Every structure is written in C-alpha cells, then in structure tokens.
C-alpha cells in the first residue's frame, strides 16, 4: 500500500499586538544602569547573552545548506578521519596489551 505523506499544518506566529508593551519593558530594562554595565556581574551576564544572541542570529542568517557535491566532500572527509582515528586507537591498544601483560602479569 502506498500511503500519502501526512502534512502537518505549520502555524505561523501571529504579529504581536503587544509591541508597545515589549518596547516599554525594553526601555525600562535599558534605564537600569547595572544591566548595561559590563563591570557589574549581572550586566556582564546580560550583555554577554545579548551579544551571543546577536552573533548567533548573524551566523544562522549567513549559513547556507550545502549542495550535494559539498555534502559528499564533507562526508568523505569525516569517514577518512574516523578510519584514521580508529586505526590509531587499534594500534595503541595492540601495542599496550603486551606491555600491560609484562607489567601486571609478571608472576
């Protein structure tokens, strides 16, 4: 049987009618000196969070989805890296088993 895929209805956020309330709250928060002062621990935390959010938003806006060719290159590079790391781990384990037996099992 072939079943048609279910589509979920995506609800888009409605425009907020309380924009004035948010603006007033932001003005109240900006008027507090300790929140804007990076030398104050609370201000350092708040301003750091704001900077992080702005930088994250800027990063996400600049990111693009890789095309098939770029994705294949990334997948091959990751696979080679996994193989190399697995080989190194296997080699280290192989070398240290006899050394461990000599040290521990000397009786």
């Amino acid at each position: 049987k072939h079943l048609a895929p279910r589509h979920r209805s995506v609800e888009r956020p409605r425009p907020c009618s309380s924009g004035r309330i948010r603006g007033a709250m932001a003005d109240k928060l900006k008027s507090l000196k300790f929140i804007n002062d990076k030398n104050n621990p609370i201000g350092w935390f708040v301003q750091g969070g704001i900077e992080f959010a702005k930088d994250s938003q800027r990063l996400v806006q600049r990111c693009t989805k890789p095309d098939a060719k770029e994705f294949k290159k990334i997948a091959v590079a990751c696979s080679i890296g996994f193989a190399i790391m697995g080989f190194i781990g296997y080699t280290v384990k192989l070398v240290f088993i006899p050394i461990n037996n000599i040290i521990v099992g000397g009786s």
Side-chain angles (χ1 to χ4, degrees):
K1 277 186 176 178
H2 177 70
L3 299 174
R6 286 190 235 163
H7 295 285
R8 294 182 181 156
S9 61
V10 178
E11 291 185 24
R12 296 181 184 217
R14 287 181 260 156
C16 184
S17 62
S18 63
R20 279 182 273 136
I21 295 172
R22 276 197 222 151
M25 182 68 80
D27 290 339
K28 286 181 183 179
L29 289 175
K30 286 180 183 177
S31 67
L32 299 173
K33 299 287 183 198
F34 69 94
I35 288 183
N36 296 321
D37 183 16
K38 278 195 148 185
N39 294 326
N40 188 320
I42 296 174
W44 175 82
F45 182 77
V46 171
Q47 292 302 319
I50 291 171
E51 288 177 16
F52 177 76
K54 286 180 183 177
D55 290 342
S56 299
Q57 184 180 14
R58 195 176 312 125
L59 175 71
V60 169
Q61 286 174 348
R62 289 196 60 167
C63 291
T64 57
K65 186 176 179 182
D67 58 349
K69 186 178 178 182
E70 186 179 8
F71 181 77
K72 186 176 179 183
K73 279 184 180 180
I74 293 170
V76 167
C78 288
S79 301
I80 291 171
F82 271 103
I84 290 171
M85 292 302 291
F87 180 74
I88 290 172
Y90 178 75
T91 305
V92 168
K93 187 74 171 176
L94 197 64
V95 168
F96 277 101
I97 287 174
I99 293 173
N100 193 20
N101 286 338
I102 291 170
I103 294 171
V104 175
S107 54

